[in-house]
């Protein structure tokens, strides 16, 4: 994960994008902060500003816990300081003549003076963005707002300063009609819409801020002399000894050096049950130490920690573009040009065939067309859904690498699963000790574990751990030899012991016939079997197996119910693979497959027209994970697997796939709703603003109403996207 993030980070700086200037004076960002656009993630720069493509305010790639609200405060200041002026202008325009307070020419001058600060100060950021859109040849909502309000203000200013240049037909109530109130009200409403949007957008990054807020600010470091001090997290280095007291959070990733405790890892895995940690066990930074005192040795700090990598993945996914969004972006660009053409046609048709004053009607309706057709809702439709969905997924322990994964996951019909670490725990666990006549089961386990204390083999570790769990008193081996590939020999409590496979027993001249059939049964169930010889006689056998995860049967049942074809592909022996598959009801099994074979299996299924997801946890799964339509990595597995996959299940629980599929369905439905709403709104709004209903109903759409509708359309799209935060998924409750 981190390699990918690091690579991406360098890539942003090697090709600097076009400069963009902001309207607000933002708080200086942390050094190295990269800013990007929610709608155009390809825009990256090292300072705040506006997107050169759509004019939207750029956001930090990784939001900080201390939020920078400088632009929101700037817009609030502009809005509240000029709102009284806008209200006075609107009242004058509506009732000034009937109140008779001023003559008509004086009223025009009053409106002009009052509107100057509103248009030129409060509206200045919008004109800057409109000019940038023209300079960057990227027409957007600010092109329309700049043109619309600019046209209304310039026309009204000329009508006030030099009314004699207009024909008599433009006169109304003793003056040339002016529309300062339209320009002022549109700017005030656009500011209000921007304030609502900025507040809503800050909620979409709430998931990342919540993750960032999990990390403690300090760590308690134990010095070489045994003295302890609290140091800032940034000063913790790999290899430091740190004390974690009850009720404190683990500062960084590492391993337990001393003590044992139950840790609450729910904030990262979604698993509510505490996990017991003993010396040698791994600790994840930001998890909560609930009971005992621990001393840990730090192994990963800074951007290397699991939490930092999760934040990086969530941020990367939030900023990526879904295929549906690329379509919306293309449509939005052409849409703006079509709207400008529609506004010109509206002006000409009204001017030529409309009722007097026809050109005034033409100008006002053209302005209404420009304002109401703002493509902001269209542009926001998909990024908002993606940002909320990735945050929601992260809270469930489901990390999407990119938006395409969210869109594609609902389409998968075939799931290839690795066995070890995906269906099973991925580490050997003691299964059974069976004694030969004259020995007891516990005695067989005790002697084998005593001898195995000298071995570093994973199977030996499982036997020793099982004996200690049962409270068996282990003796120290007086002599120990490892017979490469066949077992171990030694002396325990004066008795010569041998522990290993049939080949070792043959070497020692031990007859294993009494337990041979039982050994075959255990092997058929997928277990590794070792015989124990003591004092020249067969003492018994021990079976060690990789147990199936407790959650696997329920997960597979859910996936099959969703119509998925489940295929197992594992590097393990065919007998073991078939035994596990039979227990889990998987019909299609491939054993002893190499990484290249898994890759070919994915390609073959894709060639049959299947949409393939691959779930795995190891380095050997990486090629297949990268090739699959959706690669799903177990968070309990290797970094290489997580780097190759588009989706990571933090807990390594396959039930997460069903939840992720439901999230995928809900997100795509949400995006379609947003796009449908935006298209419907514009297809109805533009003709009404152009005045097509006027000949039949006498209705015209004021530019002020158009501006309000434009702001509400953007707010409604964001509000609809935020509904995903509270969407209910059938498996999520069971998973938690």
């Amino acid at each position: 994960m981190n390699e990918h993030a690091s690579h991406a980070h360098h890539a942003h700086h090697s090709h600097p994008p076009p400069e963009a200037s902001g309207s607000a004076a933002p708080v200086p960002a942390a050094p190295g902060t990269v800013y990007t656009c929610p709608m155009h993630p390809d825009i990256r720069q090292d300072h705040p500003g506006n997107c050169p493509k759509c004019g939207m305010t750029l956001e930090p790639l990784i939001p900080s816990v201390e939020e920078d609200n400088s632009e929101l405060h700037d817009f609030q200041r502009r809005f509240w300081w000029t709102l009284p002026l806008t209200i006075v202008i609107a009242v004058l325009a509506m009732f000034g003549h009937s109140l008779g307070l001023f003559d008509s020419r004086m009223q025009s001058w009053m409106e002009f003076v009052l509107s100057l600060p509103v248009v030129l100060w409060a509206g200045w950021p919008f004109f800057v963005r409109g000019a940038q859109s023209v300079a960057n040849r990227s027409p957007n909502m600010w092109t329309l707002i700049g043109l619309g309000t600019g046209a209304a203000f310039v026309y009204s200013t000329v009508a006030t300063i030099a009314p004699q240049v207009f024909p008599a037909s433009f006169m109304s109530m003793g003056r040339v009609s002016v529309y300062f109130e339209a320009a002022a009200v549109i700017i005030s409403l656009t500011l209000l819409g921007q304030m609502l949007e900025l507040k809503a957008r800050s909620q979409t990054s709430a998931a990342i801020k919540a993750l960032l807020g999990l990390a403690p600010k300090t760590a308690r470091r134990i010095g070489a002399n045994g003295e302890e001090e609290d140091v800032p997290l940034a000063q913790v280095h790999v290899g430091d000894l740190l004390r974690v007291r009850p009720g404190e959070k683990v500062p960084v990733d590492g391993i337990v050096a001393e003590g044992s405790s139950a840790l609450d890892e729910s904030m990262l895995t979604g698993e509510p049950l505490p996990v017991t940690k003993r010396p040698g066990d791994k600790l994840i930074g930001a998890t909560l130490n609930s009971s005992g005192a621990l001393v840990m040795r730090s192994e990963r700090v800074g951007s290397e920690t699991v939490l930092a990598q999760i934040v990086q993945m969530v941020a990367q996914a939030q900023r990526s573009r879904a295929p549906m969004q690329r379509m919306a972006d293309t449509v939005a660009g052409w849409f703006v040009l079509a709207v400008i053409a529609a506004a010109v046609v509206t002006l000409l048709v009204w001017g030529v065939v409309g009722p007097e004053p026809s050109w005034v009607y033409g100008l006002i309706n053209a302005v209404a067309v420009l304002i109401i057709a703002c493509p902001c809702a269209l542009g926001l439709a998909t990024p908002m859904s993606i940002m909320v969905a990735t945050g929601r997924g992260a809270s469930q322990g489901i990390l999407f690498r990119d938006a395409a994964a969210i869109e594609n996951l609902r389409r998968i019909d075939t799931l290839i699963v690795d066995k070890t670490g995906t269906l099973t725990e991925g580490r050997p666990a003691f299964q059974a000790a069976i004694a030969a006549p004259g020995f007891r089961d516990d005695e067989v386990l005790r002697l084998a574990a005593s001898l195995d204390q000298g071995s570093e083999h994973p199977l030996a570790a499982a036997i020793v751990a099982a004996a200690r769990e049962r409270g068996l008193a282990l003796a120290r081996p007086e002599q120990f030899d490892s017979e490469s590939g066949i077992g171990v020999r030694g002396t325990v409590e004066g008795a010569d012991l041998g522990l290993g496979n049939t080949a070792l027993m043959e070497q020692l001249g031990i007859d294993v016939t009494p337990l041979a059939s039982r050994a075959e049964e255990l092997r058929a169930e997928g277990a590794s079997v070792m015989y124990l010889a003591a004092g020249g006689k067969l003492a018994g056998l021990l079976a060690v197996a990789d147990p199936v995860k407790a959650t696997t049967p329920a997960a597979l049942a859910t996936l099959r119910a969703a119509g998925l074809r489940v295929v197992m592909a594992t590097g393990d022996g065919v007998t073991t693979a078939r035994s596990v598959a039979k227990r889990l009801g998987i019909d299609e099994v491939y054993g002893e497959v190499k990484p290249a074979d898994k890759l070919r299996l994915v390609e073959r299924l894709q060639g049959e027209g299947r949409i393939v997801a691959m779930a795995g946890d190891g380095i050997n799964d990486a090629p297949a994970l990268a090739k699959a339509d959706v690669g799903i990595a177990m968070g309990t597995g290797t970094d290489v697997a997580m780097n190759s996959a588009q989706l990571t299940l933090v807990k390594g629980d396959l039930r997460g796939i069903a939840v992720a599929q439901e999230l995928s369905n809900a997100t795509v439905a949400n995006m379609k709703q947003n796009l449908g709403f935006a298209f419907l709104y514009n297809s109805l709004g533009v003709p009404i603003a152009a005045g097509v209903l006027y000949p039949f109903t006498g209705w015209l759409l004021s530019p002020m109403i158009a501006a309000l509708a434009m702001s509400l359309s953007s707010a409604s799209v964001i509000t609809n996207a935020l509904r995903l935060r509270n969407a209910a998924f059938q498996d999520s409750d069971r998973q938690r």
Side-chain angles (χ1 to χ4, degrees), residues 268-292:
L268 291 181
T269 64
E271 178 56 68
L273 296 175
V275 182
T276 303
K277 301 286 183 177
R278 298 187 177 88
D281 287 346
K282 291 199 175 296
L283 296 173
I284 304 173
T287 54
L288 185 66
N289 180 20
S290 52
S291 53

Side-chain angles (χ1 to χ4, degrees), residues 42 455 593 601:
D42 50 312
S455 173
V593 293
L601 176 61

